PDB file of all heavy atoms in Angstrom:
ATOM      1  N   LEU A 670     179.725 128.156  73.586  1.00 93.00           N
ATOM      2  CA  LEU A 670     178.548 127.895  72.771  1.00 93.00           C
ATOM      3  C   LEU A 670     178.841 126.930  71.687  1.00 93.00           C
ATOM      4  O   LEU A 670     178.073 126.018  71.329  1.00 93.00           O
ATOM      5  CB  LEU A 670     177.987 129.186  72.171  1.00 93.00           C
ATOM      6  CG  LEU A 670     177.540 130.276  73.145  1.00 93.00           C
ATOM      7  CD1 LEU A 670     176.952 131.479  72.360  1.00 93.00           C
ATOM      8  CD2 LEU A 670     176.511 129.754  74.086  1.00 93.00           C
ATOM      9  N   GLU A 671     180.071 126.977  71.114  1.00 95.00           N
ATOM     10  CA  GLU A 671     180.445 126.045  70.013  1.00 95.00           C
ATOM     11  C   GLU A 671     180.561 124.625  70.640  1.00 95.00           C
ATOM     12  O   GLU A 671     180.233 123.637  69.952  1.00 95.00           O
ATOM     13  CB  GLU A 671     181.813 126.486  69.511  1.00 95.00           C
ATOM     14  CG  GLU A 671     181.698 127.759  68.599  1.00 95.00           C
ATOM     15  CD  GLU A 671     183.056 128.190  68.124  1.00 95.00           C
ATOM     16  OE1 GLU A 671     184.076 127.841  68.723  1.00 95.00           O
ATOM     17  OE2 GLU A 671     183.135 128.847  67.085  1.00 95.00           O
ATOM     18  N   GLU A 672     181.052 124.555  71.814  1.00 96.00           N
ATOM     19  CA  GLU A 672     181.163 123.194  72.482  1.00 96.00           C
ATOM     20  C   GLU A 672     179.800 122.623  72.745  1.00 96.00           C
ATOM     21  O   GLU A 672     179.560 121.417  72.500  1.00 96.00           O
ATOM     22  CB  GLU A 672     181.926 123.348  73.791  1.00 96.00           C
ATOM     23  CG  GLU A 672     183.428 123.703  73.565  1.00 96.00           C
ATOM     24  CD  GLU A 672     184.058 124.229  74.810  1.00 96.00           C
ATOM     25  OE1 GLU A 672     183.517 123.942  75.945  1.00 96.00           O
ATOM     26  OE2 GLU A 672     185.127 124.888  74.700  1.00 96.00           O
ATOM     27  N   GLU A 673     178.870 123.431  73.226  1.00 95.00           N
ATOM     28  CA  GLU A 673     177.466 122.880  73.439  1.00 95.00           C
ATOM     29  C   GLU A 673     176.862 122.500  72.121  1.00 95.00           C
ATOM     30  O   GLU A 673     176.198 121.426  72.085  1.00 95.00           O
ATOM     31  CB  GLU A 673     176.618 123.953  74.099  1.00 95.00           C
ATOM     32  CG  GLU A 673     175.226 123.460  74.444  1.00 95.00           C
ATOM     33  CD  GLU A 673     174.415 124.507  75.170  1.00 95.00           C
ATOM     34  OE1 GLU A 673     174.937 125.441  75.758  1.00 95.00           O
ATOM     35  OE2 GLU A 673     173.158 124.325  75.181  1.00 95.00           O
ATOM     36  N   ALA A 674     177.065 123.231  71.060  1.00 95.00           N
ATOM     37  CA  ALA A 674     176.566 122.850  69.772  1.00 95.00           C
ATOM     38  C   ALA A 674     177.279 121.532  69.318  1.00 95.00           C
ATOM     39  O   ALA A 674     176.569 120.708  68.629  1.00 95.00           O
ATOM     40  CB  ALA A 674     176.883 123.917  68.715  1.00 95.00           C
ATOM     41  N   ALA A 675     178.465 121.309  69.593  1.00 97.00           N
ATOM     42  CA  ALA A 675     179.192 120.111  69.218  1.00 97.00           C
ATOM     43  C   ALA A 675     178.524 118.927  69.944  1.00 97.00           C
ATOM     44  O   ALA A 675     178.427 117.824  69.313  1.00 97.00           O
ATOM     45  CB  ALA A 675     180.676 120.199  69.533  1.00 97.00           C
ATOM     46  N   ARG A 676     178.177 119.060  71.213  1.00 96.00           N
ATOM     47  CA  ARG A 676     177.476 117.968  71.890  1.00 96.00           C
ATOM     48  C   ARG A 676     176.173 117.575  71.245  1.00 96.00           C
ATOM     49  O   ARG A 676     175.819 116.415  71.195  1.00 96.00           O
ATOM     50  CB  ARG A 676     177.318 118.297  73.389  1.00 96.00           C
ATOM     51  CG  ARG A 676     178.656 118.241  74.225  1.00 96.00           C
ATOM     52  CD  ARG A 676     178.387 118.430  75.650  1.00 96.00           C
ATOM     53  NE  ARG A 676     178.208 119.888  75.982  1.00 96.00           N
ATOM     54  CZ  ARG A 676     179.184 120.725  76.279  1.00 96.00           C
ATOM     55  NH1 ARG A 676     180.479 120.322  76.282  1.00 96.00           N
ATOM     56  NH2 ARG A 676     178.959 121.967  76.586  1.00 96.00           N
ATOM     57  N   HIS A 677     175.476 118.595  70.741  1.00 94.00           N
ATOM     58  CA  HIS A 677     174.276 118.310  69.999  1.00 94.00           C
ATOM     59  C   HIS A 677     174.550 117.642  68.675  1.00 94.00           C
ATOM     60  O   HIS A 677     173.839 116.713  68.283  1.00 94.00           O
ATOM     61  CB  HIS A 677     173.522 119.662  69.760  1.00 94.00           C
ATOM     62  CG  HIS A 677     172.146 119.483  69.241  1.00 94.00           C
ATOM     63  ND1 HIS A 677     171.052 119.118  70.121  1.00 94.00           N
ATOM     64  CD2 HIS A 677     171.602 119.529  68.026  1.00 94.00           C
ATOM     65  CE1 HIS A 677     169.985 119.058  69.407  1.00 94.00           C
ATOM     66  NE2 HIS A 677     170.282 119.317  68.114  1.00 94.00           N
ATOM     67  N   ALA A 678     175.576 118.038  67.988  1.00 96.00           N
ATOM     68  CA  ALA A 678     175.929 117.516  66.695  1.00 96.00           C
ATOM     69  C   ALA A 678     176.415 116.023  66.813  1.00 96.00           C
ATOM     70  O   ALA A 678     176.241 115.235  65.903  1.00 96.00           O
ATOM     71  CB  ALA A 678     177.026 118.304  66.040  1.00 96.00           C
ATOM     72  N   ALA A 679     176.925 115.692  67.940  1.00 96.00           N
ATOM     73  CA  ALA A 679     177.424 114.295  68.187  1.00 96.00           C
ATOM     74  C   ALA A 679     176.315 113.295  68.075  1.00 96.00           C
ATOM     75  O   ALA A 679     176.553 112.099  67.773  1.00 96.00           O
ATOM     76  CB  ALA A 679     178.155 114.198  69.554  1.00 96.00           C
ATOM     77  N   LEU A 680     175.081 113.707  68.295  1.00 94.00           N
ATOM     78  CA  LEU A 680     173.944 112.800  68.265  1.00 94.00           C
ATOM     79  C   LEU A 680     173.736 112.279  66.853  1.00 94.00           C
ATOM     80  O   LEU A 680     173.060 111.256  66.637  1.00 94.00           O
ATOM     81  CB  LEU A 680     172.705 113.497  68.684  1.00 94.00           C
ATOM     82  CG  LEU A 680     172.701 114.069  70.174  1.00 94.00           C
ATOM     83  CD1 LEU A 680     171.462 114.807  70.451  1.00 94.00           C
ATOM     84  CD2 LEU A 680     172.897 112.853  71.118  1.00 94.00           C
ATOM     85  N   VAL A 681     174.230 112.963  65.776  1.00 95.00           N
ATOM     86  CA  VAL A 681     174.060 112.541  64.383  1.00 95.00           C
ATOM     87  C   VAL A 681     175.400 112.216  63.756  1.00 95.00           C
ATOM     88  O   VAL A 681     175.440 112.184  62.528  1.00 95.00           O
ATOM     89  CB  VAL A 681     173.273 113.545  63.584  1.00 95.00           C
ATOM     90  CG1 VAL A 681     171.855 113.712  64.129  1.00 95.00           C
ATOM     91  CG2 VAL A 681     173.983 114.886  63.523  1.00 95.00           C
ATOM     92  N   ALA A 682     176.458 112.084  64.539  1.00 96.00           N
ATOM     93  CA  ALA A 682     177.762 111.864  63.953  1.00 96.00           C
ATOM     94  C   ALA A 682     177.834 110.606  63.091  1.00 96.00           C
ATOM     95  O   ALA A 682     178.639 110.541  62.190  1.00 96.00           O
ATOM     96  CB  ALA A 682     178.797 111.781  65.071  1.00 96.00           C
ATOM     97  N   ASP A 683     177.025 109.568  63.412  1.00 95.00           N
ATOM     98  CA  ASP A 683     177.052 108.337  62.658  1.00 95.00           C
ATOM     99  C   ASP A 683     176.007 108.286  61.579  1.00 95.00           C
ATOM    100  O   ASP A 683     175.750 107.201  61.010  1.00 95.00           O
ATOM    101  CB  ASP A 683     176.868 107.180  63.602  1.00 95.00           C
ATOM    102  CG  ASP A 683     175.546 107.203  64.337  1.00 95.00           C
ATOM    103  OD1 ASP A 683     174.875 108.275  64.294  1.00 95.00           O
ATOM    104  OD2 ASP A 683     175.176 106.176  64.958  1.00 95.00           O
ATOM    105  N   ARG A 684     175.409 109.419  61.217  1.00 96.00           N
ATOM    106  CA  ARG A 684     174.388 109.414  60.188  1.00 96.00           C
ATOM    107  C   ARG A 684     174.884 109.965  58.858  1.00 96.00           C
ATOM    108  O   ARG A 684     175.598 110.933  58.810  1.00 96.00           O
ATOM    109  CB  ARG A 684     173.170 110.296  60.679  1.00 96.00           C
ATOM    110  CG  ARG A 684     172.628 109.931  61.997  1.00 96.00           C
ATOM    111  CD  ARG A 684     171.785 108.679  61.995  1.00 96.00           C
ATOM    112  NE  ARG A 684     170.507 108.963  61.243  1.00 96.00           N
ATOM    113  CZ  ARG A 684     169.450 109.420  61.824  1.00 96.00           C
ATOM    114  NH1 ARG A 684     169.449 109.779  63.125  1.00 96.00           N
ATOM    115  NH2 ARG A 684     168.324 109.561  61.125  1.00 96.00           N
TER     116      ARG A 684
END
Side-chain angles (χ1 to χ4, degrees):
L670 299 183
E671 290 176 336
E672 291 163 21
E673 183 175 342
R676 285 186 281 273
H677 192 78
L680 301 175
V681 295
D683 61 346
R684 306 284 290 274

